[in-house]
Amino acid sequence: MVSSNKSFDRKASRFKPQPSVLVLCEDSKSGKRYLEEAALHFRARAQVEIVHCGVTHPSGIVDRAMKRQEYFDKVFCVLDRDTHLCFERALSEAKSHPKITVIASYPCFEFWLLLHFGFSRKPFRSAGKNSPGDLVSKSLRTKPNMANYEKGKAISYFAQLLGEPFHRARTLAPKVLEDVVASGEPNPSTEIHLLMDVFETLSTPQRI
């Protein structure tokens, strides 16, 4: 019996314990639900806590991350560039904390959803009363089954777009970032696919 227990212990010790991960996002409904369901899809939910932290600007989210990072192995801040004046300051503040990683979207999370329908690099600029983020949502509403999209609705867009559209977005987002490097223009682009990669990694046992 003792030998059996020791054998079990040796087998269990071959894998690293999953890191504890916190994801902080600005959007309390559609974006937050999408990330929660993505974590669930990759079976990473046990180690991922996605929180709407009660602030709607990048520096506030990073500030919350700095305060909570001691309780986690890694903290991700999902930030929208849009028209936030404190965006660059938030990026600068995050860089000084190794545990904190910014997942940025230009101009907003909805561009990630837009990539589910095809490649795009047409910049989104403020027009009249519409912010760049507003215009991304407007463009998204022209896509199949997205006519009623609203940022504040708690609708399961992850489930709706899972499959080929989701695979397309994960394939296209890195290509967009390659063009960002080549052109120097980040608008539009997103790093949400990097967070999807993290979720997928969390679901896979890591050998020591």
Side-chain angles (χ1 to χ4, degrees):
M1 181 64 70
V2 174
S3 177
S4 177
N5 287 339
K6 287 183 177 180
S7 177
F8 178 80
D9 290 341
R10 284 197 299 270
K11 184 176 180 180
S13 67
R14 293 176 184 174
F15 299 97
K16 298 177 183 178
Q18 280 197 355
S20 58
V21 174
L22 173 67
V23 179
L24 294 173
C25 62
E26 173 184 336
D27 184 1
S28 65
K29 292 188 178 179
S30 59
K32 177 174 179 285
R33 180 166 180 175
Y34 184 100
L35 296 177
E36 288 173 332
E37 293 185 358
L40 181 64
H41 171 74
F42 287 112
R43 299 181 181 179
R45 64 190 185 281
Q47 297 296 325
V48 180
E49 178 187 347
I50 297 176
V51 179
H52 169 58
C53 53
V55 294
T56 57
H57 52 85
S59 60
I61 292 174
V62 171
D63 181 64
R64 180 62 63 89
M66 290 188 292
K67 292 176 179 176
R68 298 197 64 190
Q69 64 178 319
E70 65 179 297
Y71 305 107
F72 298 88
D73 296 310
K74 195 72 176 175
V75 181
F76 292 90
C77 296
V78 180
L79 305 182
D80 288 353
R81 174 63 184 93
D82 208 6
T83 57
H84 293 301
L85 298 177
C86 63
F87 183 80
E88 296 299 331
R89 184 171 78 246
L91 296 184
S92 179
E93 291 173 344
K95 284 181 179 179
S96 62
H97 297 271
K99 280 189 178 182
I100 300 175
T101 299
V102 169
I103 301 294
S105 293
Y106 296 76
C108 58
F109 170 81
E110 280 70 21
F111 179 67
W112 164 252
L113 298 182
L114 199 59
L115 287 179
H116 287 65
F117 300 94
F119 185 88
S120 176
R121 280 289 284 148
K122 181 180 178 181
F124 292 91
R125 314 290 187 192
S126 296
K129 296 182 179 180
N130 293 313
S131 71
D134 293 333
L135 295 177
V136 179
S137 292
K138 184 177 180 180
S139 180
L140 186 60
R141 285 192 286 272
T142 68
K143 303 304 179 182
N145 302 314
M146 299 297 287
N148 296 319
Y149 178 83
E150 292 293 341
K151 194 176 184 73
K153 287 186 177 180
I155 296 175
S156 179
Y157 291 107
F158 180 81
Q160 181 176 318
L161 298 172
L162 189 59
E164 180 58 31
F166 181 65
H167 176 72
R168 183 182 300 118
R170 294 186 77 181
T171 301
L172 293 179
K175 296 182 183 300
V176 169
L177 291 186
E178 289 176 4
D179 192 67
V180 170
V181 173
S183 66
E185 174 56 72
N187 179 14
S189 63
T190 183
E191 296 175 329
I192 293 294
H193 64 289
L194 300 179
L195 191 54
M196 299 300 104
D197 294 344
V198 170
F199 288 164
E200 190 168 30
T201 299
L202 285 173
S203 69
T204 305
Q206 302 295 308
R207 288 189 176 276
I208 294 175

